[in-house]
C-alpha cells in the first residue's frame, strides 16, 4: 500500500489503458513524491520504440498450434483439446505436401481452421474478450506430496487454448523480441529470454564457487527469493510495462478485461466445481 499503488494504479483498469495510463507512458505525469516520480519516469515509453500491430496471421496461429505439446492441459471447460486444433493444421499441411486434388476432409479442415483464425483475428484486432475465455479452472498441486495445507499448494490456471495462444504469441514472442533488441531487459533476467535458460544461473553459481575454491579466493553470495512474486503482480502495472515494451492497446484491453471478468472454478478428483469466484472491488483478485 503505497501512494503509487493506491492513488495512481488504483485509477487504472486491469488493461493498463485510459488517460492516466497514457500520460504515464508519454512521461507527462508528475507527482510530489520523488520515489513515486522515479517509478513513473521508468514507465515512460522509450523514444522510437516499435509498436506491435494488433494483428495476427494464419501462419502464426497454425505454427503455434503445430508446435504446441499436445499433452498440455487446456480448455477444460469447453473440452477443446489441443489435438483438435493440431488435426486441422496437419490436414491442411497435407495439401501442401500433396500435389493431387485435395479431398473433402482437407477442404473441411481448411474451412474450420479459417473460422477459428477469424475469431482470434477479430478478438485481437478490436481488443475483444470472448465470454468463454472468462472461465478458468484452477488445478491445485501439492508442492510437498502428502501435505495438502493451502499455503503449500501450487495453483495452476488452465485457460482456453486460443486465449493462451494469443498470450504466447504477443508476450513470449513479440514483446520479448523487441525488448531484447532494444536492450530493455535486465542482464540478470534468465528463463524467458532467447538463448538463456532457467538453469543457466545455477551453472554460473557452480562455476563461481568452483573458481573461488580452486583459486582460494574469498567469496560472499547473497540470494534473495521474493516470496510469491508472481502471485503479487499488479495486473494494471504488468499491462503498463507490456505497453511500454510495445504491446498494442487492443491486446492489453483483451488481456485486462479477461482477467477482470474471469470466473475461477476448482478442479478436484471428482470433477470441476460448478461454483466459482471472481474479482470485485470488495474482494479483489489479482
Amino acid at each position: 500500500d503505497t501512494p503509487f499503488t493506491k492513488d495512481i494504479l488504483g485509477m487504472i483498469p486491469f488493461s493498463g489503458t485510459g488517460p492516466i495510463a497514457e500520460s504515464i507512458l508519454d512521461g507527462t505525469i508528475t507527482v510530489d513524491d520523488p520515489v513515486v516520480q522515479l517509478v513513473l519516469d521508468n514507465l515512460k515509453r522509450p523514444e522510437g520504440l516499435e509498436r506491435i500491430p494488433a494483428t495476427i496471421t494464419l501462419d502464426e496461429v497454425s505454427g503455434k498450434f503445430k508446435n504446441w505439446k499436445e499433452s498440455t492441459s487446456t480448455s477444460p471447460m469447453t473440452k477443446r483439446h489441443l489435438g483438435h486444433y493440431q488435426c486441422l493444421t496437419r490436414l491442411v499441411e497435407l495439401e501442401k505436401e500433396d500435389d493431387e486434388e485435395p479431398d473433402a476432409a482437407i477442404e473441411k479442415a481448411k474451412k474450420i481452421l479459417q473460422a477459428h483464425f477469424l475469431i482470434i483475428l477479430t478478438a485481437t484486432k478490436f481488443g475483444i474478450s470472448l465470454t468463454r475465455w472468462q472461465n478458468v479452472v484452477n488445478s491445485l498441486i501439492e508442492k510437498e506430496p502428502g501435505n495438502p495445507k493451502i499455503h503449500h499448494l501450487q495453483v495452476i490456471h488452465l485457460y482456453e487454448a486460443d486465449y493462451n495462444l494469443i498470450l504466447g504469441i504477443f508476450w513470449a514472442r513479440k514483446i520479448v523480441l523487441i525488448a531484447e533488441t532494444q536492450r530493455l531487459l535486465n542482464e540478470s533476467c534468465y528463463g524467458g529470454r532467447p538463448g538463456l535458460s532457467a538453469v543457466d544461473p545455477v551453472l554460473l553459481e557452480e562455476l563461481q564457487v568452483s573458481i573461488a575454491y580452486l583459486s582460494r579466493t574469498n567469496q560472499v553470495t547473497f540470494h534473495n527469493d521474493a516470496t510469491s512474486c508472481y502471485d503479487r503482480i499488479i495486473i494494471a502495472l504488468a499491462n503498463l510495462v507490456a505497453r511500454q515494451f510495445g504491446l498494442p492497446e487492443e491486446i492489453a484491453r483483451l488481456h485486462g478485461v479477461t482477467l477482470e471478468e474471469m470466473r475461477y472454478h476448482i478442479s478436484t478428483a471428482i470433477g470441476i466445481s460448478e461454483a466459482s469466484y471472481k474479482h470485485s472491488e470488495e474482494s479483489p483478485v489479482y
Side-chain angles (χ1 to χ4, degrees):
D1 289 340
T2 66
F4 176 63
T5 55
K6 292 169 65 177
D7 299 339
I8 298 177
L9 285 182
M11 295 183 287
I12 299 176
F14 275 20
S15 59
T17 59
I20 298 178
E22 294 300 328
S23 63
I24 292 175
L25 293 172
D26 293 339
T28 57
I29 189 170
T30 57
V31 295
D32 295 332
D33 191 319
V35 176
V36 174
Q37 187 63 53
L38 181 62
V39 175
L40 294 174
D41 291 341
N42 279 277
L43 285 172
K44 181 181 177 181
R45 184 184 285 126
E47 295 289 340
L49 182 71
E50 177 186 354
R51 304 283 186 94
I52 302 171
T55 57
I56 199 167
T57 66
L58 180 58
D59 287 340
E60 287 176 326
V61 172
S62 299
K64 178 66 175 176
F65 280 136
K66 176 185 174 183
N67 297 318
W68 211 336
K69 191 175 181 180
E70 190 175 346
S71 59
T72 305
S73 297
T74 60
S75 309
M77 301 295 287
T78 61
K79 307 299 182 183
R80 297 188 181 191
H81 194 273
L82 271 177
H84 298 153
Y85 295 102
Q86 293 187 345
C87 282
L88 296 174
T89 58
R90 287 168 185 168
L91 279 171
V92 172
E93 282 186 344
L94 286 176
E95 182 188 30
K96 299 178 181 178
E97 298 172 0
D98 193 353
D99 295 333
E100 297 180 5
E101 192 72 21
D103 58 21
I106 293 178
E107 286 299 315
K108 289 179 180 179
K110 287 171 62 178
K111 291 180 179 179
I112 296 172
L113 183 61
Q114 182 70 15
H116 284 304
F117 167 68
L118 289 177
I119 292 172
I120 296 172
L121 177 64
T122 303
T124 55
K125 186 176 181 180
F126 298 102
I128 299 171
S129 171
L130 303 185
T131 304
R132 62 181 172 85
W133 291 350
Q134 297 168 8
N135 287 287
V136 64
V137 172
N138 287 349
S139 181
L140 306 177
I141 301 174
E142 293 178 348
K143 293 180 179 179
E144 302 173 7
N147 185 356
K149 293 181 180 179
I150 193 167
H151 63 291
H152 283 282
L153 296 178
Q154 179 70 49
V155 182
I156 307 297
H157 298 294
L158 304 179
Y159 295 124
E160 287 292 308
D162 46 354
Y163 173 66
N164 219 343
L165 175 141
I166 292 171
L167 300 183
I169 289 177
F170 280 94
W171 266 266
R173 293 187 182 179
K174 297 188 176 184
I175 292 181
V176 170
L177 180 61
I178 288 179
E180 191 74 30
T181 304
Q182 298 288 330
R183 302 183 66 85
L184 299 175
L185 299 176
N186 191 289
E187 290 300 320
S188 297
C189 292
Y190 287 83
R193 295 171 60 195
L196 298 176
S197 70
V199 299
D200 287 344
V202 182
L203 174 62
L204 292 174
E205 179 84 4
E206 288 289 332
L207 291 174
Q208 289 170 1
V209 172
S210 297
I211 291 172
Y213 176 77
L214 293 171
S215 62
R216 297 174 179 263
T217 303
N218 293 330
Q219 182 188 38
V220 176
T221 60
F222 174 71
H223 297 157
N224 187 9
D225 183 17
T227 304
S228 302
C229 58
Y230 278 96
D231 300 331
R232 295 167 190 251
I233 293 175
I234 304 299
I235 299 169
L237 178 59
N239 272 326
L240 263 179
V241 173
R243 292 191 62 202
Q244 179 191 17
F245 286 3
L247 183 75
E249 181 180 342
E250 293 85 354
I251 305 301
R253 186 164 60 249
L254 178 155
H255 180 230
V257 171
T258 301
L259 291 180
E260 193 167 7
E261 299 298 327
M262 191 79 79
R263 293 188 176 276
Y264 299 88
H265 299 262
I266 307 298
S267 175
T268 69
I270 58 174
I272 298 173
S273 67
E274 294 183 4
S276 62
Y277 65 96
K278 71 184 297 289
H279 170 82
S280 66
E281 291 187 6
E282 297 76 21
S283 180
V285 176
Y286 295 115

